[in-house]
Amino acid sequence: ETIIRLDQRVSDAEFHRVLACSAKPGGDCKTPMIRWSRRRQGDMRIALARIAPGYPEREAAIVDDAIDRAIAKINKAGSNIVMRRVAPAAKADINIFLLDVPQNSVLRGSRIRGMDGKNVAGAIASVWWNRDTKTINRGVIVIAPGHSPHTYKSIVLEELFQSLGLLTDILGVPYETSTITAQNENMRLSLGRQDIAALNIHYPPK
């Protein structure tokens, strides 16, 4: 994952570039600017694909509810993104896996294509895209157990938001509590004003 430090407020356009391509204010993109295809944007399918044996039932229920809440918040942000829940067996665009692994561990034997070898601090969002078109075609979120209910709700919203191609985490006092992507806080239960602005720049409403 990429982390950018912001020690002062930046414009909405700069904030979007920080999240979308890890560009420091006034600087060049460090990563490709990737998006879901227009066809997928209006009907993004989200599934809770697997709850591993051993994952605490109460915590899994909190995540299940948090997914619905996060989808509603992203859908209300005004961008061209419209998400909906689908069944685990459906062909979802973004699949969420609750794995009974320690926080801050490297995934091994996950049976999730492309995920083994990745580090799960508390949760991780990964996306795959076409190198020619910069179009995202698949997203995976893995969440480890052991969080508070509040933290779960914040994590689910952050990982779903970042799965839209806004993958950079932000460090720095001005943004500690004002963005869902703050690296050191899992406190927000809603998108920040500039999160919404960045989402609308990335996926302009029709």
Side-chain angles (χ1 to χ4, degrees), residues 114-130:
M115 291 302 291
D116 282 359
K118 292 184 184 285
N119 184 66
V120 181
I124 184 173
S126 293
V127 295
W128 289 261
W129 67 92
N130 181 300

Side-chain angles (χ1 to χ4, degrees), residues 178-200:
S178 64
T179 173
I180 195 68
T181 68
Q183 169 68 7
N184 285 346
E185 297 285 340
N186 286 116
M187 295 307 295
R188 284 199 71 92
L189 298 181
S190 61
L191 299 177
R193 187 197 68 76
Q194 285 195 297
D195 297 332
I196 292 171
L199 186 60
N200 278 270

